[in-house]
């Protein structure tokens, strides 16, 4: 395990503010939009369908740009982070794991995330890459950003359809996080259980997982080195025996 790549929404960042800002923009109670997000989750629909239920035919991208123009675009500060984010990321980096943050967010959210000065090697968003999850184009960017082989890279997220399944399709290893609406709802789904390399309840669990994987890799490397040394010794011994036999024949 060389690199761990984290989803952002409901993995690192609470979505409370995100949905509250949409409710305020659309002029509806915040409880209403929360209930509609829940309905979309249960029906396994895209979360933006909650907005279209309120305003049928809504162009979400256009509406977001209108919010930005009105000074009501994305906002992110320390209070939006889950409490385990900083300690988990810091512990992983201390182990020598490369930490990347990459999710379906806007260019502006990427700027805000970098402004939080999180213990991460790279922060990237779908808006910056021009590709969104669950597309394989997005996960090709993930692999490039990882700097490691896909099977040495872990993608961590809460949403099976956007995080877990496409990550595995791309050849990555994957950890499903039981957090947020999608994480809680689908945590015990048989397909999730089968697809996830690890199922976790908080990000700090990744430190022990990474340490164990490192120890296994180191043990395998030591065993391989010992095996190679044994083989070299055997070859040397056979060569010495053949040399001795030749010497006997010549004598």
């Amino acid at each position: 395990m060389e690199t761990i790549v984290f989803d952002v929404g409901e993995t690192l960042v609470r979505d409370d503010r995100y949905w509250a800002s949409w409710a305020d923009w659309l002029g509806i109670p915040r409880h209403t939009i929360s209930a509609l997000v829940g309905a979309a989750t249960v029906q396994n629909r895209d979360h933006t369908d909650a907005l279209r239920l309120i305003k049928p035919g809504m162009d979400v991208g256009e509406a977001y740009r209108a919010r930005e123009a009105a000074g009501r675009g994305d906002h992110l500060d320390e209070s939006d982070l889950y409490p385990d984010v900083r300690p988990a990321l810091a512990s992983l980096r201390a182990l020598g794991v490369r930490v990347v943050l990459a999710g379906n967010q806007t260019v502006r959210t990427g700027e805000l995330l970098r402004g939080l000065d999180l213990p991460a090697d790279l922060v990237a968003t779908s808006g910056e890459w021009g590709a969104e999850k669950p597309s394989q184009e997005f996960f090709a960017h993930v692999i490039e950003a990882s700097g490691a082989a896909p099977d040495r890279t872990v993608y961590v997220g809460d949403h099976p359809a956007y995080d877990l399944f496409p990550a595995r399709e791309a050849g990555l290893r994957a950890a499903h996080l039981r957090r947020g609406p999608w994480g809680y709802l689908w945590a015990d789904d048989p397909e999730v259980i089968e697809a996830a390399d690890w199922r976790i309840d908080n990000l700090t669990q990744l430190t022990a997982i990474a340490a164990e994987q490192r120890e296994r890799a180191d043990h395998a490397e030591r065993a391989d080195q010992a095996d190679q040394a044994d083989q070299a010794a055997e070859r040397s011994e056979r060569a010495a025996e053949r040399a001795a036999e030749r010497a006997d024949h010549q004598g």
Side-chain angles (χ1 to χ4, degrees):
M1 184 184 293
E2 297 178 19
T3 302
I4 298 183
V5 185
F6 292 85
D7 168 48
V8 177
E10 287 303 339
T11 295
L12 306 177
V13 174
R14 296 157 50 110
D15 279 347
D16 308 46
R17 189 194 302 271
Y18 175 82
W19 290 112
S21 64
W22 272 115
D24 296 346
W25 177 255
L26 296 171
I28 64 168
R30 294 179 177 185
H31 169 72
T32 299
I33 201 164
S34 295
L36 291 174
V37 170
T41 302
V42 170
Q43 295 172 20
N44 204 20
R45 296 167 62 174
D46 189 275
H47 66 277
T48 56
D49 285 346
L51 301 174
R52 297 186 185 94
L53 288 169
I54 299 164
K55 192 174 181 180
M58 176 182 181
D59 183 324
V60 177
E62 183 179 330
Y64 174 76
R65 288 187 289 274
R67 281 181 49 191
E68 272 198 322
R72 297 171 65 179
D74 290 336
H75 180 80
L76 198 62
D77 61 33
E78 193 72 23
S79 67
D80 295 299
L81 296 175
Y82 278 100
D84 58 357
V85 171
R86 283 192 182 276
L89 301 189
S91 295
L92 289 169
R93 292 191 80 192
L95 285 173
V97 176
R98 177 172 168 81
V99 173
V100 176
L101 317 182
N104 275 357
Q105 272 72 37
T106 63
V107 172
R108 175 58 179 157
T109 297
E111 295 170 352
L112 294 168
L113 279 169
R114 283 186 279 273
L116 293 176
D117 195 26
L118 292 166
D121 297 284
L122 178 69
V123 176
T125 68
S126 59
E128 294 164 343
W129 283 345
E132 293 187 349
K133 294 184 292 184
S135 74
Q136 285 301 294
E137 183 181 357
F138 177 92
F139 284 95
H141 283 290
V142 167
I143 293 169
E144 182 180 1
S146 164
D151 64 353
R152 303 285 291 174
T153 302
V154 180
Y155 194 82
V156 181
D158 62 297
H159 199 308
Y162 279 68
D163 302 323
L164 176 61
F165 299 148
R168 291 307 309 273
E169 183 182 346
L172 301 167
R173 305 192 78 183
H176 181 254
L177 176 62
R178 188 173 176 268
R179 172 176 290 173
W182 294 273
Y184 285 121
L185 181 63
W186 301 105
D188 296 321
D189 181 85
E191 292 185 10
V192 169
I193 294 171
E194 182 179 357
D197 292 288
W198 298 277
R199 297 161 64 219
I200 59 176
D201 295 313
N202 62 75
L203 298 179
T204 55
Q205 289 175 260
L206 291 167
T207 304
I209 291 171
E212 180 185 3
Q213 291 296 306
R214 283 293 177 92
E215 177 58 31
R216 286 184 179 181
D218 290 345
H219 178 75
E221 184 177 355
R222 289 193 297 268
D224 184 57
Q225 290 173 346
D227 185 53
Q228 290 180 20
D230 289 343
Q231 292 178 16
E234 288 178 9
R235 288 194 298 270
S236 179
E237 184 178 344
R238 288 197 296 271
E241 290 173 352
R242 288 194 295 270
E245 289 174 359
R246 287 195 297 270
D248 289 342
H249 290 315
Q250 290 171 356

